[in-house]
Amino acid sequence: MTNQAAIHSSAKLSDTVVNSYLSDLEDAELMTRPGIGCNHLAWQLGHLISSEVQLLESIAPQNCLTLPEGFAAAHGKETNGSDDASAFLGKQAYLDLYAQVRDATANALNAATEAELKADAPESFRGFCPTVLDMYVLIAAHPMMHAGQFAVARRQLGKPVLM
């Protein structure tokens, strides 16, 4: 298995978990916070999308998408306390953007040469992602870092256990 194939496999698992956990949620349920001080699911989805664009831009700027105007700001640290549902998107809009961003990342990974993957990651990431390859691993796995919070929110909403 190549490096790219292994990363694609990891990303596919992350995407399967995220899509499964969102599958039966309504738009309003995305405003559920898994605990006090935690970000609601809508904010987390926006964070996953905007941070992936930022990460991809740092390693493969030619493959980046442009998010809708104000999207990144609406899902930044300054807005994580907002419970105003009108400031966030509906589930399908998040899923559509998520898929577009994941496709852009997959395409960039497919186009990356071995030399590009071995190159140093941007300096601000090198402490935990020394190479561009490590950055792609981070991007693939990032949704799984939030999946536990999605599972807790589902339990609070009385949704069935899916995995």
Side-chain angles (χ1 to χ4, degrees):
M1 180 178 278
T2 66
N3 288 326
Q4 279 102 329
I7 295 168
H8 285 303
S9 182
S10 177
K12 183 179 176 184
L13 176 61
S14 292
D15 296 345
T16 298
V17 170
V18 167
N19 287 312
S20 178
Y21 282 170
L22 295 173
S23 65
D24 58 351
L25 296 183
E26 301 295 326
D27 289 351
E29 292 172 321
L30 295 182
M31 297 305 292
T32 302
R33 293 179 184 273
I36 297 170
C38 295
N39 302 318
H40 53 69
L41 302 183
W43 187 94
Q44 289 187 57
L45 284 167
H47 161 75
L48 287 170
I49 292 163
S50 59
S51 64
E52 184 160 338
V53 167
Q54 179 185 17
L55 291 168
L56 186 58
E57 188 173 67
S58 75
I59 57 173
Q62 70 279 10
N63 292 90
C64 277
L65 295 178
T66 301
L67 291 173
E69 182 71 32
F71 184 89
H75 300 88
K77 290 181 182 179
E78 300 77 27
T79 61
N80 66 1
S82 173
D83 288 317
D84 177 7
S86 70
F88 297 92
L89 304 178
K91 179 176 81 171
Q92 193 58 55
Y94 282 117
L95 290 175
D96 291 347
L97 276 172
Y98 182 84
Q100 291 171 21
V101 171
R102 297 300 268 185
D103 284 346
T105 298
N107 291 335
L109 177 59
N110 287 339
T113 66
E114 205 55 39
E116 290 169 334
L117 293 173
K118 290 179 181 176
D120 289 341
E123 190 171 341
S124 60
F125 293 98
R126 285 187 205 147
F128 58 96
C129 288
T131 68
V132 169
L133 176 74
D134 296 312
M135 293 288 292
Y136 280 110
V137 171
L138 171 64
I139 291 169
H142 185 204
M144 293 298 276
M145 296 176 189
H146 293 266
Q149 294 182 65
F150 285 39
V152 170
R154 290 182 58 76
R155 292 285 178 97
Q156 289 177 352
L157 293 165
K159 300 292 183 180
V161 175
L162 297 175
M163 297 185 182

